[in-house]
Amino acid sequence: MTAPYDALRAHFRNVALLGSTSALLAWDQETYLPRGGGDRRAAQLALLATLAHERATAPQVGDWLARCEADAAALVDDDARANVRGWRRDYDRATRLPAALVAELAEVESKAQQAWAEARARDDFRRFQPWLLRMIGLQQHKADCLRLPAQSRWDALADLCEPGMNAADLAQWFGPLRQRLVALRERLAGGRAVDDGFSRVAIPEADQEAFVRAVLAAMGFDPKFGRLDRSAHPFCTKVGDDVRLTTRFHRDRVLDALGSTMHEGGHGLYEQGLDMAQFGAPLGEAVSLGVHESQSRLWENHVGRSAAFWEWCWPIAQRHLGSACQGYDAAAIHRAANVVRPSLIRVEADEATYDLHVMVRFEIEQRLLDGSLPVDALPSEWNRLYREYLGVVPPDDRQGCLQDVHWSCGLFGYFPTYTLGNLYAAQFAAAAERALGGLAPMFARGDFAPLREWLRRHVHRHGRRHEPAELCRLVTGSALSPEPFLRHLDRKLGAVYGLA
Ligand code: ZN
């Protein structure tokens, strides 16, 4: 019985072509689009989203799926069965969303994102407020269409990002995790002072760019199927077969440019590691945002913030950054890259405080969606929670509730996948360490291929074959747990602060 399956393959290849065309337009919007092109771009994205939704929800898809499911044994192999399961999940979701809502969301996402960028540049929350209000209304409508009985709005949206994730489970993890992260921070405060002067040395952007490109190449990011550009907020997106990364440069923050590039490079390696022959099918797609984030955080933190990495990287840094490196050595830069200090900006946070930023957003977002937090109270509530969780208070909304793009582009239920990514990353890194027999000597000689290929084989190539929780058990031998992450922080940061 290959006919309905083949029809599904061909049909969804076309849906994916529409989706990847949207991805290209969205990438352009974030990188090169002149400001005057914004309105028409929003209309273009809305039209493509409508066309993709129409095709993905076409009645014949339901017929083909039913025929495949009626005789699953006749499908050619496990790959086909896994694809049918994935399409079924997507189809049941998509058919619950009215076409008009999909079109309106696409247009408002594009316009709200532009309004957010302006509001942020001018530090003017009131300018963004009506768009956020409208976006929350649309997300509530979307969640009401999607949610099952007894499922909250937040859970319905979160399940789109991370299949199986819900607020109750997360709250159970986040409580103890927060306590232990705060305890770790207090312990480190009693350690030696760590000099992070190198993070603030002024270095020409062209030198920084040459440096981060050298590291990205060593990671194995394939330039034949990818490129690196600049944007205000680094991101990674797949456009058909090629992967677009962006990073950013500030004259006096070379470690930020490196971290952003390795982070997006990790996302890019995941996308390049997916099976291209499965384009348009679930086996050719990333399993979840949490697992996606694990790949970026693994390269950014477990590789890029390790002592062994800096042994290899220091001569490369010296070659590209020249006199800026004078007075430092590999060990000093490794310490500078691991300074723990509560701060205002999530994407610049150290490993020990990063998840506290996520917890603030997790709490606020649930209340925005269930209506218990009015939009105009967002800035003050944000600042209150920053004081409570991190002990710092944003001096303005630009560094407060306007810092992240997510809510403007409709990404609700998304933030906790960052913390899940940290937990998966630590657990995957520990499993790779066991399987490959010690990663540090490889990193110290710049040999990242064994780790990259191990991730490709055990994580990337599966696409959406398994649910994230099942994938974690298969890759690591156990269910997801915060323990490997906390062990990793204790060991590394204890050494950096002279407490090990
Ligand atoms: Zn990321």
Side-chain angles (χ1 to χ4, degrees):
M1 188 189 60
T2 54
Y5 180 74
D6 289 345
L8 283 165
R9 279 303 304 264
H11 186 84
F12 279 104
R13 255 196 295 271
N14 283 334
V15 175
L17 286 174
L18 284 170
S20 56
T21 309
S22 292
L24 179 63
L25 292 180
W27 169 82
D28 175 69
Q29 177 176 297
E30 293 308 299
T31 48
Y32 296 112
L33 182 74
R35 225 177 35 242
D39 275 356
R40 197 72 69 196
R41 179 55 46 88
Q44 291 167 332
L45 287 166
L47 175 62
L48 285 170
T50 308
L51 292 174
H53 181 74
E54 258 169 37
R55 292 199 176 205
T57 56
Q60 69 261 39
V61 171
D63 296 341
W64 290 323
L65 282 172
R67 285 169 61 198
C68 288
E69 289 159 344
D71 193 6
L75 286 168
V76 281
D77 54 20
D78 278 352
D79 284 4
R81 280 183 278 277
N83 279 335
V84 169
R85 277 198 307 276
W87 281 320
R88 163 58 72 191
R89 180 184 151 91
D90 298 345
Y91 181 72
D92 286 350
R93 290 269 168 71
T95 49
R96 276 185 249 148
L97 297 178
L101 175 63
V102 172
E104 191 179 353
L105 266 169
E107 184 158 1
V108 172
E109 280 163 14
S110 181
K111 287 184 176 167
Q113 200 173 332
Q114 294 168 48
W116 163 80
E118 265 184 47
R120 185 174 168 276
R122 295 166 190 231
D123 183 31
D124 182 1
F125 177 73
R126 301 293 155 209
R127 189 176 280 265
F128 178 50
Q129 190 177 322
W131 287 101
L132 181 58
L133 196 61
R134 190 161 167 207
M135 177 57 81
I136 289 169
L138 289 169
Q139 293 296 325
Q140 288 169 333
H141 184 186
K142 180 178 174 183
D144 288 338
C145 295
L146 291 173
R147 69 173 157 169
L148 305 169
Q151 201 179 26
S152 72
R153 283 170 167 164
W154 191 88
D155 284 352
L157 298 176
D159 195 59
L160 297 174
C161 302
E162 189 74 12
M165 177 168 78
N166 65 67
D169 287 352
L170 284 170
Q172 276 194 354
W173 290 25
F174 279 13
L177 184 60
R178 182 181 156 203
Q179 283 173 5
R180 289 178 64 181
L181 290 173
V182 169
L184 172 65
R185 196 178 79 213
E186 285 166 359
R187 192 165 80 85
L188 297 177
R192 68 177 166 206
V194 174
D195 171 17
D196 65 344
F198 184 71
S199 308
R200 293 184 294 277
V201 177
I203 300 172
E205 291 184 8
D207 294 352
Q208 295 189 37
E209 184 170 352
F211 171 52
V212 303
R213 282 187 184 279
V215 172
L216 186 63
M219 286 168 61
F221 182 73
D222 184 350
K224 186 175 170 204
F225 294 99
R227 54 177 290 134
L228 176 69
D229 292 87
R230 296 178 182 212
S231 66
H233 290 267
F235 66 94
C236 162
T237 191
K238 190 168 200 175
V239 178
D241 287 340
D242 65 293
V243 180
R244 308 292 172 98
L245 310 180
T246 66
T247 192
R248 63 176 170 201
F249 300 99
H250 303 285
R251 219 178 138 67
D252 55 354
R253 272 191 275 166
V254 66
L255 291 179
D256 178 70
L258 178 67
S260 297
T261 307
M262 293 187 76
H263 181 101
E264 301 309 331
H267 282 305
L269 288 175
Y270 186 9
E271 290 292 343
Q272 289 187 338
L274 292 165
D275 186 355
M276 273 190 200
Q278 293 283 353
F279 180 76
L283 287 184
E285 294 166 355
V287 64
S288 72
L289 295 176
V291 173
H292 224 308
E293 192 66 10
S294 76
Q295 302 304 292
S296 57
R297 298 292 277 177
L298 197 154
W299 285 96
E300 177 189 2
N301 292 332
H302 293 262
V303 180
R305 283 178 158 137
S306 71
F309 170 83
W310 280 103
E311 270 181 54
W312 163 76
C313 192
W314 185 236
I316 294 167
Q318 287 174 302
R319 188 155 66 240
H320 291 289
L321 309 179
S323 58
C325 297
Q326 272 168 18
Y328 296 96
D329 61 16
I333 303 305
H334 170 242
R335 287 195 296 275
N338 283 290
V339 163
V340 173
R341 185 180 298 133
S343 62
L344 297 169
I345 307 293
R346 176 184 61 84
V347 294
E348 295 168 8
D350 57 77
E351 279 182 272
T353 58
Y354 183 94
D355 297 288
L356 301 172
H357 293 257
V358 172
M359 291 171 195
V360 168
R361 289 152 180 76
F362 172 56
E363 190 173 327
I364 285 179
E365 192 175 82
Q366 291 176 77
R367 291 164 56 198
L368 286 173
L369 274 177
D370 71 19
S372 63
L373 178 66
V375 169
D376 61 0
L378 170 60
S380 59
E381 186 59 4
W382 180 285
N383 294 354
R384 186 186 74 76
L385 285 171
Y386 259 75
R387 178 181 294 136
E388 187 184 329
Y389 280 50
L390 285 125
V392 293
V393 182
D396 51 40
D397 293 335
R398 196 169 188 275
Q399 297 172 76
C401 65
L402 285 175
Q403 68 180 264
D404 286 312
V405 69
H406 301 60
W407 291 332
S408 75
C409 48
L411 298 174
F412 283 73
Y414 188 116
F415 281 113
T417 66
Y418 289 125
T419 290
L420 291 182
N422 287 332
L423 305 189
Y424 283 128
Q427 202 157 323
F428 290 164
E433 175 89 27
R434 287 195 300 274
L436 299 171
L439 298 172
M442 299 175 197
F443 296 172
R445 55 176 191 269
D447 182 9
F448 304 109
L451 174 64
R452 186 184 64 245
E453 294 310 312
W454 186 89
L455 291 169
R456 192 157 279 180
R457 217 168 35 252
H458 293 274
V459 180
H460 307 173
R461 295 303 277 190
H462 292 301
R464 289 168 58 193
R465 186 184 301 278
H466 311 289
E467 294 271 297
E470 188 189 346
L471 178 71
C472 181
R473 262 191 298 272
L474 285 169
V475 176
T476 71
S478 41
L480 183 64
S481 146
E483 293 307 321
F485 175 61
L486 289 164
R487 263 201 304 278
H488 153 77
L489 291 183
D490 266 338
R491 200 178 310 135
K492 181 170 69 171
L493 299 177
V496 164
Y497 278 84
L499 297 167

